[in-house]
């Protein structure tokens, strides 16, 4: 086996599976997300919002990626309304409130939380500020409405950043 094959195998082994699919560090956020069975709603929303090219670009980005189960916590009527063309700007803002314009692995986030006395402000591309804290060894993100999301799978390395899977959709201030 060549050194390159060993290195590729080691990189693959380090990235967690998401939605039953392997996540490849040499692929973009969008290229990996489309393979996750747990992120079909997120992928559809990114497509509807016209954010595919942005999340395929060089980055780096940190994406807090809500699962389909997280989107299921939103009423069907509200979710269907957000997926309509006239709600594109609102959908873009919601989605970009899950994106940070830097690559931040969970260890770095935990360090920033500790350095800031237990809560670290996280400004997002969408203009929201999330509050990151720790609970039971997990990173917790609180949006501007007090809604909390837990990072359930951390440090999914991408060619243009990192994905952290979360269990709730975060919203901008209302």
């Amino acid at each position: 086996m060549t050194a390159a094959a060993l290195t590729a195998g080691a990189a693959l082994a380090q990235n967690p599976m998401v939605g039953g699919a392997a996540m490849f560090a040499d692929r973009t956020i969008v290229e990996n997300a489309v393979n996750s069975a747990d992120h079909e709603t997120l992928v559809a929303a990114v497509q509807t919002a016209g954010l595919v090219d942005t999340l395929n670009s060089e980055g780096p980005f940190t994406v807090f990626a809500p699962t389909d189960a997280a989107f299921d916590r939103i009423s069907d009527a509200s979710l269907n309304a957000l997926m309509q063309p006239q709600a594109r700007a609102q959908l873009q803002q919601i989605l970009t409130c899950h994106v940070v314009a830097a690559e931040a692995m969970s260890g770095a986030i935990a360090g920033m939380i500790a350095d800031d006395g237990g809560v670290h402000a996280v400004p997002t591309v969408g203009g929201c500020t999330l509050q990151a804290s720790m609970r039971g060894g997990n990173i917790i993100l609180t949006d501007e409405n007090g809604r909390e999301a837990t990072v359930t799978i951390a440090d999914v390395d991408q060619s243009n950043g990192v994905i952290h899977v979360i269990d709730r959709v975060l919203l901008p201030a209302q």
Side-chain angles (χ1 to χ4, degrees):
M1 192 173 263
T2 67
L6 287 172
T7 303
L12 176 62
Q14 292 172 351
N15 237 1
M17 299 273 289
V18 177
M23 297 286 115
F24 299 98
D26 63 346
R27 294 187 185 168
T28 68
I29 290 164
V30 173
E31 289 169 339
N32 274 317
V34 298
N35 293 319
S36 169
D38 291 343
H39 290 91
E40 293 173 358
T41 305
L42 177 61
V43 169
V46 166
Q47 291 169 336
T48 299
L51 295 172
V52 171
D53 289 343
T54 300
L55 293 176
N56 262 334
S57 69
E58 188 173 321
F61 302 108
T62 297
V63 175
F64 298 105
T67 61
D68 291 343
F71 279 100
D72 287 346
R73 296 173 74 172
I74 299 172
S75 74
D76 288 343
S78 294
L79 188 56
N80 288 337
L82 278 173
M83 299 295 269
Q84 299 306 309
Q86 61 271 23
R88 185 175 182 168
Q90 183 182 9
L91 182 60
Q92 285 174 339
Q93 184 184 22
I94 290 169
L95 294 175
T96 56
C97 281
H98 292 79
V99 179
V100 178
E103 183 173 345
M105 300 301 264
S106 63
I109 297 168
M112 289 181 264
I113 292 167
D115 289 348
D116 288 349
V119 179
H120 178 72
V122 180
T124 68
V125 172
C128 304
T129 300
L130 305 175
Q131 301 300 319
S133 59
M134 299 293 295
R135 185 181 309 133
N138 293 317
I139 295 171
I140 307 295
L141 300 168
T142 305
D143 70 14
E144 296 169 335
N145 302 293
R147 298 162 55 98
E148 291 184 346
T150 301
V151 173
T152 58
I153 302 173
D155 300 336
V156 186
D157 193 25
Q158 315 290 297
S159 65
N160 62 343
V162 61
I163 292 174
H164 301 292
V165 177
I166 60 174
D167 65 355
R168 188 156 195 193
V169 176
L170 300 167
L171 299 173
Q174 297 178 10

